[in-house]
């Protein structure tokens, strides 16, 4: 049998020039930390240290919040929306122009395949800025009162799975509404946020409107606890989200949380099989499964389970795992050693509890943090892998017999971020979607994002909505 | 795939059974199918993989002339090119077949004798298929008798779109019989079937009726071959082999002009149907202008720079 061996097609890493060390971005300038420490960020695919990055201490966070306050009171808050829009459009265009450089940097720092950072992340990042730039001068028509006002200084803490995209989801609506921001990127993926700071300088954004404080949990805690912050937005784990909610309770600070998920991807017997298989793959192996809305529980109708799983295994055998900078790579590296350990621990629990793991034959690189795409069959609701968020390329397969049972099982989770339905029957899609307690329900597709569409969860998946007109509400007083 | 339950022999027993089978096939979601095809088209094929793919694509070409103005001279010229596509490079492989109208089959058979290049002929009232069946069968039998070892037939799209599936089935089966030893490629003319659901049904219908290859288009109707349509055909032959055990080929015809496009199709073959189909016996291109671009790309890989249209032969 002939073999079509795709020769390596690596994207040049020279595009993403990385400095040896990075400082904090406060008041429009890169500054040395005053009381902070220094951390390192590594390339998850090779474990090579990419750069040293400052860790902001309490005094640095205070300086950033003060800079944001000054900018809010003196420049950004009073500025007409039409003027703010110009800055946002400029930033959006700069992101689009520099998208190749940003995509390479994102893949280096995060481990995600360049295919995804180039074809999904960066186009989306630019789209969110373009979209919210369009709202900046139309806020009175957004449905939140005739004269909605900004809240002030927004403290924003974002995760490592989509570093630049989460930055866009947070910063674009905040700035469009007239707020200024202090943003803390995740400690494992700070590089694109710092490059974004350069873009702010390039766009002549007034100093202090955007401040980036890098660092780990302590930096985040300092930001959350700072009395000068009017609004907090957090995307990350449910555990940390709960801590933040406790801390903020009783203060005047507003809070939105985008937390974990354990989405059900429901495949009915009349589903378009080949597209459902694609949707399952995209649902759980996109970004190595490190997606809060990942379709990590496959609920498949028992009558078609066998052929569907056969088709899924065949499809998984064509997934290419390896160098994230190779343009043909489908599945890249897991973001960190800690995350790899968590995925491994939960996968072992799945096997120990009696579910059957299966992975396609694939050669994992020797260095770096890698986990082969895996499915577990024979999973029941009682298994840990059916209940806990794994946040990795691990799919739990459950079966159901009737639409009512599918809905019951899908809803039987503490989370409620997203869900998927696969069926050729429109009436069934509508009735099932109505009954699912999830913020986003995709029909015959999965993991699709659009700036015009709100995103957010139920229950332990958090509260508040990002994206769309709804996303403005979190940053407006009315 | 879920339709495996019905014993396939009985499926063609009645219009009702055949209809139930074809409409029981899993649907194709248009948006998802097009997205998947577009995703596969972003594969980056370089250096050694590209050299291999270019040669394979040359070997998969059905070099075709289907004009009212075709003459023996034109066909002989095409046959010469089919055997030695690049006169400056003896390492260049020959194409798979030369495809002509039935009247010119003797010329092609004579010119290609002993070369290993197949003689293909479009029969069955190409390209419309709208003429009485006895005439179409005669045309087929005569083309085979004159030396064609591959027959490209068009299906009766009118009957298919009217839902007369059994009629289409019986016509394909009759042509297959008239073919004797010759390979039968069944042209679905997917541009006229319009929906991917129709394409999948027509592909299964042809496979059940005995087609050796399912083919997208005549090249006379737009849109002709597209990546998503070819993907649906590849899925059909892959699923059909799982069910019936019989492997059927696919031919993408019409509108494929550049080497880049051809390589995209090969990626599709590789990742959708599987590596078993990466062979001229199981996948073909019906494209004539494609050959020259493949040759220019081969020359570029060999020399490091682009030549031009005058460095490859006209036909």
């Amino acid at each position: 049998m002939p073999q079509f061996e795709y020769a390596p097609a690596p994207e040049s890493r020279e595009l993403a020039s990385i400095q040896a060390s990075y400082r904090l971005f406060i008041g429009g300038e890169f500054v040395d930390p005053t009381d902070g420490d220094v951390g390192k960020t590594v390339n998850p695919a090779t474990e090579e240290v990419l750069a040293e990055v400052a860790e902001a201490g309490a005094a640095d966070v205070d300086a950033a919040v003060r800079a944001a306050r000054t900018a809010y009171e003196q420049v950004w808050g009073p500025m007409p929306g039409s003027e703010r829009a110009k800055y946002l459009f400029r930033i959006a265009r700069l992101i689009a122009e520099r998208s190749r450089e940003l995509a390479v940097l994102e893949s280096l720092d995060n481990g995600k395949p360049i295919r995804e950072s180039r074809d999904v992340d960066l186009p989306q990042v630019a789209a969110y800025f373009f979209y919210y730039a369009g709202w900046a001068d139309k806020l009175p028509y957004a449905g939140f009162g005739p004269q909605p006002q900004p809240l002030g200084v927004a403290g924003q803490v974002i995760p490592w799975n989509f570093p630049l995209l989460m930055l866009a989801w947070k910063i674009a609506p905040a700035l469009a509404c007239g707020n200024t921001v202090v943003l803390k990127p995740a400690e494992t993926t700070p590089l694109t946020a710092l490059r974004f700071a350069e873009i702010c300088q390039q766009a002549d954004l007034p100093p202090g409107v955007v401040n980036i404080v890098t660092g780990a949990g302590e930096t985040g805690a300092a930001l959350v606890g700072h009395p000068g912050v009017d609004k907090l937005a957090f995307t990350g784990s449910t555990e940390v989200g709960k801590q933040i909610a406790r801390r903020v309770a009783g203060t005047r600070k507003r809070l939105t949380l985008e937390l974990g998920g354990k989405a059900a991807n429901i495949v009915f017997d009349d589903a378009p099989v080949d597209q459902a298989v694609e949707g399952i793959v995209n649902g759980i192996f996109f970004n190595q499964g490190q997606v809060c809305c990942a379709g990590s529980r496959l609920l498949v109708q028992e009558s078609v389970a066998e052929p569907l799983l056969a088709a899924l295994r065949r499809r998984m055998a064509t997934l290419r795992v390896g160098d994230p900078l190779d343009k043909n790579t489908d599945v890249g590296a897991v973001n960190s050693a800690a995350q790899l350990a968590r995925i491994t621990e939960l996968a072992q629990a799945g096997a120990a509890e009696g579910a059957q793991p299966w992975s396609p034959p694939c050669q994992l690189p020797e260095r770096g943090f890698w986990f082969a795409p895996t499915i577990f069959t024979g999973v029941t609701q009682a298994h840990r892998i059916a209940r806990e968020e794994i946040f990795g390329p691990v799919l739990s397969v459950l079966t159901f017999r009737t639409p009512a049972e599918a809905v019951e099982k899908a809803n039987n989770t503490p989370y409620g971020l997203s869900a998927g339905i696969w069926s050729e029957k429109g009436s069934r899609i509508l009735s099932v979607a109505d009954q699912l307690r999830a913020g986003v329900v995709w029909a015959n597709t999965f993991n699709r994002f659009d700036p015009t569409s709100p995103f957010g969860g139920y229950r332990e998946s958090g509260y508040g909505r990002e994206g769309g007109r709804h996303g403005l509400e979190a940053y407006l007083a009315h | 795939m879920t339709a495996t339950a019905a014993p396939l022999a009985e499926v063609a027993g009645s219009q009702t059974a055949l209809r139930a089978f074809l409409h029981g096939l899993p649907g194709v979601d248009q948006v998802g199918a097009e997205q998947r095809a577009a995703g596969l088209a972003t594969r980056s094929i370089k250096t050694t993989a590209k050299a291999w793919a270019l040669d394979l694509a040359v070997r998969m070409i059905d070099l075709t002339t289907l004009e009212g103005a075709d003459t023996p001279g034109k066909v002989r010229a095409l046959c010469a090119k089919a055997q030695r596509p690049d006169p400056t490079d003896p390492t260049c492989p020959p194409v798979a077949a030369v495809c002509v109208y039935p009247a010119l089959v003797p010329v092609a058979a004579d010119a290609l004798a002993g070369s290993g290049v197949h003689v293909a002929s479009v029969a069955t009232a190409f390209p419309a298929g709208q003429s009485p069946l006895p005439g179409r069968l005669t045309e087929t039998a005569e083309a085979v008798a004159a030396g064609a070892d591959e027959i490209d037939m068009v299906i009766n799209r009118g009957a298919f779109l009217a839902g007369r599936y059994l009629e289409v089935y019986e016509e394909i089966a009759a042509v297959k019989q008239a073919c004797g030893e010759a390979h039968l490629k069944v042209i679905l003319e997917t541009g006229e079937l319009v929906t991917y659901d129709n394409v999948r049904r027509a592909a299964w219908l042809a496979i059940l009726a005995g087609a050796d290859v399912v083919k997208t288009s005549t090249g006379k109707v737009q849109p002709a071959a597209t990546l998503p349509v070819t993907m649906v055909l590849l899925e059909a032959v892959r699923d059909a082999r799982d069910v019936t055990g019989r492997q059927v080929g696919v031919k993408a015809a019409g509108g494929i002009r550049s080497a880049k496009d051809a390589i995209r199709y090969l990626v599709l073959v590789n990742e959708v149907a599987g590596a078993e189909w990466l062979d001229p016996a199981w996948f073909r291109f019906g494209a004539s202008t494609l050959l020259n671009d493949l040759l220019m790309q081969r020359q570029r890989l060999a020399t490091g720079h682009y030549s031009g249209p005058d460095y490859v032969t006209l036909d």
Side-chain angles (χ1 to χ4, degrees):
Chain A
M1 193 200 302
Q3 284 298 324
F4 197 167
E5 302 278 5
Y6 305 160
E11 179 61 277
S12 164
R13 59 175 293 167
E14 304 307 315
L15 291 165
S17 59
I18 298 175
Q19 300 167 27
S21 70
Y22 285 90
R23 299 184 289 170
L24 309 172
F25 183 69
I26 296 173
E29 301 290 337
F30 287 97
V31 298
D32 286 319
T34 53
D35 61 345
D37 209 344
V38 172
K40 291 183 168 65
T41 184
V42 303
N43 178 345
T46 60
E47 299 179 50
E48 158 209 12
V49 174
L50 291 169
E52 288 192 340
V53 181
E55 292 193 345
D60 300 311
V61 170
D62 183 56
V65 174
R66 281 173 196 281
R69 173 66 55 193
T70 308
Y72 169 69
E73 284 172 356
Q74 297 181 355
V75 188
W76 198 251
M79 187 185 282
S82 54
E83 289 299 308
R84 290 201 304 269
K86 290 180 189 170
Y87 285 104
L88 286 169
F89 276 122
R90 200 180 295 163
I91 290 171
R93 285 196 304 272
L94 287 168
I95 288 169
E97 280 166 19
R98 297 175 66 170
S99 65
R100 198 157 161 221
E101 164 198 358
L102 291 164
V104 173
L105 190 58
E106 193 83 310
S107 283
L108 280 172
D109 205 16
N110 170 279
K112 65 173 69 196
I114 187 80
R115 249 164 97 85
E116 289 176 5
S117 53
R118 177 194 66 191
D119 299 345
V120 181
D121 291 40
L122 263 298
Q124 287 280 317
V125 171
Y128 271 84
F129 274 98
F130 276 120
Y131 175 76
Y132 279 112
W135 269 117
D137 60 348
K138 302 175 192 70
L139 298 174
Y141 312 102
F144 304 120
Q147 282 296 320
Q149 294 300 313
L151 298 169
V153 175
Q156 306 177 320
V157 179
I158 57 169
W160 44 259
N161 57 344
F162 291 92
L164 202 49
L165 185 58
M166 291 301 105
L167 175 148
W169 283 27
K170 294 280 183 291
I171 290 184
L175 295 195
C177 293
N179 304 275
T180 55
V181 305
V182 179
L183 177 123
K184 188 198 87 70
E187 70 268 29
T188 59
T189 56
L191 295 185
T192 41
L194 292 163
R195 194 62 54 99
F196 176 80
E198 288 173 21
I199 288 175
C200 291
Q201 285 181 327
Q202 197 183 349
D204 276 332
L205 193 70
V209 173
V210 169
N211 303 275
I212 312 274
V213 288
T214 46
E218 282 177 29
T219 310
L223 183 57
V224 168
H226 197 287
V229 169
D230 301 296
K231 190 239 149 42
L232 280 164
F234 172 75
T235 296
S237 71
T238 295
E239 192 192 323
V240 177
K242 285 178 180 173
Q243 289 172 19
I244 294 175
R246 277 189 211 105
R247 207 137 166 228
V248 170
T251 70
R252 60 178 180 81
K253 287 175 196 166
R254 296 233 205 154
L255 176 65
T256 47
L257 297 170
E258 296 284 1
L259 309 176
K262 191 73 187 173
N265 206 357
I266 307 169
V267 179
F268 287 101
D269 57 3
D270 64 343
V273 172
D274 293 298
Q275 285 71 49
V277 166
E278 284 309 311
I280 295 163
V281 166
N282 185 38
I284 187 62
F285 301 124
F286 175 62
N287 204 33
Q288 296 70 249
Q290 302 168 136
V291 185
C292 48
C293 51
S296 52
R297 279 187 301 153
L298 176 63
L299 295 180
V300 52
Q301 195 153 2
E302 227 173 292
S303 54
V304 292
E306 206 181 305
L308 184 89
L309 288 174
L312 177 62
R313 290 194 181 100
R314 181 180 56 214
R315 171 67 178 87
M316 281 172 68
T318 66
L319 286 174
R320 303 170 66 85
V321 185
D323 180 7
L325 283 192
D326 189 326
K327 292 170 197 162
N328 291 323
T329 292
D330 298 316
V331 179
V334 170
N335 182 250
S336 65
Q339 187 55 26
L340 179 61
R342 174 168 169 77
I343 297 169
T344 310
E345 195 257 318
L346 274 163
Q348 282 166 353
E353 286 171 5
Q356 293 89 48
W358 182 88
S359 296
C362 58
Q363 187 94 42
L364 300 180
E366 281 173 15
R367 288 182 65 79
F369 315 127
W370 302 91
F371 198 89
T374 302
I375 54 172
F376 274 98
T377 50
V379 179
T380 71
Q381 288 288 91
H383 286 137
R384 265 182 84 194
I385 50 170
R387 312 209 62 83
E388 293 180 33
E389 186 180 35
I390 300 176
F391 223 62
V394 181
L395 178 68
S396 302
V397 183
L398 299 93
T399 57
F400 68 88
R401 293 160 298 176
T402 62
E405 190 182 356
V407 170
E408 264 180 12
K409 285 188 169 171
N411 285 339
N412 181 219
T413 165
Y415 295 109
L417 191 52
S418 65
I421 304 169
W422 297 84
S423 170
E424 283 279 271
K425 194 166 174 162
S427 58
R428 176 179 291 155
I429 291 173
L430 294 175
S431 86
V432 170
D434 251 3
Q435 300 170 63
L436 290 173
R437 289 200 295 269
V440 182
V441 179
W442 284 292
N444 290 334
T445 187
F446 210 91
N447 269 346
R448 300 282 279 170
F449 303 98
D450 191 285
T452 64
S453 173
F455 181 91
Y458 281 56
R459 300 183 283 183
E460 294 215 1
S461 291
Y463 40 76
R465 294 289 177 265
E466 292 184 296
R469 188 182 63 83
H470 304 68
L472 296 166
E473 192 177 13
Y475 291 96
L476 289 173
H478 60 91
Chain B
M1 199 168 38
T2 45
T4 59
L8 290 175
E10 288 170 22
V11 160
S14 71
Q15 165 72 14
T16 319
L18 189 55
R19 184 186 166 81
F21 174 82
L22 294 176
H23 285 259
L25 292 167
V28 184
D29 184 77
Q30 184 186 340
V31 176
E34 288 172 358
Q35 206 177 312
R36 167 74 173 144
L40 281 176
T42 65
R43 288 282 190 231
S44 187
I45 305 300
K46 304 280 186 212
T47 59
T48 49
K50 187 175 177 188
W52 184 84
L54 290 175
D55 275 11
L56 181 61
V58 170
R59 290 168 52 220
M60 286 175 164
I61 285 186
D62 284 2
L63 209 52
T64 304
T65 181
L66 295 171
E67 293 165 16
D70 282 346
T71 60
K74 159 104 191 197
V75 170
R76 273 195 286 270
L78 206 63
C79 291
K81 178 152 186 176
Q83 297 170 66
R84 259 189 96 186
D86 188 346
T88 64
D89 181 1
T91 67
C92 182
V95 303
V98 170
C99 184
V100 295
Y101 275 122
L104 288 159
V105 167
V107 180
D110 179 51
L112 293 171
S115 68
V117 176
H118 294 283
V119 179
S121 182
V122 290
T124 71
F126 183 90
Q130 299 275 19
S131 65
L133 184 62
R136 284 184 270 156
L137 294 178
T138 312
E139 197 185 2
T140 306
E142 286 185 2
V144 174
D149 57 355
E150 296 182 355
I151 294 296
D152 290 35
M153 79 166 283
V154 287
I155 64 163
N156 185 341
R157 280 91 74 194
F160 182 89
L161 290 171
R164 302 197 305 271
Y165 299 129
L166 194 60
E167 185 179 329
V168 180
Y169 177 94
E170 284 169 349
E171 285 182 5
I172 297 171
V175 175
K176 170 72 183 164
Q177 194 156 22
C179 278
E181 292 291 296
H183 258 242
L184 176 63
K185 301 182 208 142
V186 178
I187 305 174
L188 307 177
E189 196 65 288
T190 53
E192 290 182 346
L193 301 183
V194 182
T195 69
Y196 296 124
D197 285 330
N198 271 347
V199 171
R200 176 169 288 184
R201 285 178 197 139
W204 270 91
L205 184 58
I207 293 165
L208 293 177
D212 297 300
V213 171
V214 286
K215 174 176 168 184
T216 58
S217 328
T218 58
K220 309 278 184 196
V221 170
Q222 286 300 322
T226 64
L227 282 173
V229 149
T230 309
M231 185 179 79
V232 172
L233 295 188
L234 288 164
E235 287 167 355
V237 296
R238 176 198 70 195
D239 293 344
R241 193 185 67 170
D242 286 349
V243 176
T244 65
R246 193 168 72 92
Q247 187 161 337
V248 171
V250 173
K251 178 171 169 183
I256 306 161
R257 293 199 171 77
S258 69
K260 204 171 190 172
D261 278 344
I263 291 174
R264 288 183 176 140
Y265 279 86
L266 294 182
V267 168
L268 210 62
V269 173
N270 189 40
E271 300 206 27
V272 175
E276 299 94 315
W277 269 266
L278 281 175
D279 187 294
W282 304 113
F283 192 79
R284 292 278 180 88
F285 289 110
S288 300
T289 38
L290 170 64
L291 180 57
N292 275 356
D293 195 52
L294 289 169
L295 297 179
M296 284 195 278
Q297 291 295 332
R298 283 184 93 256
Q299 290 174 355
R300 157 149 148 67
L301 278 185
T303 63
H305 31 147
Y306 282 104
S307 49
D310 287 341
Y311 290 81
V312 288
T313 57
L314 204 54
D315 59 26

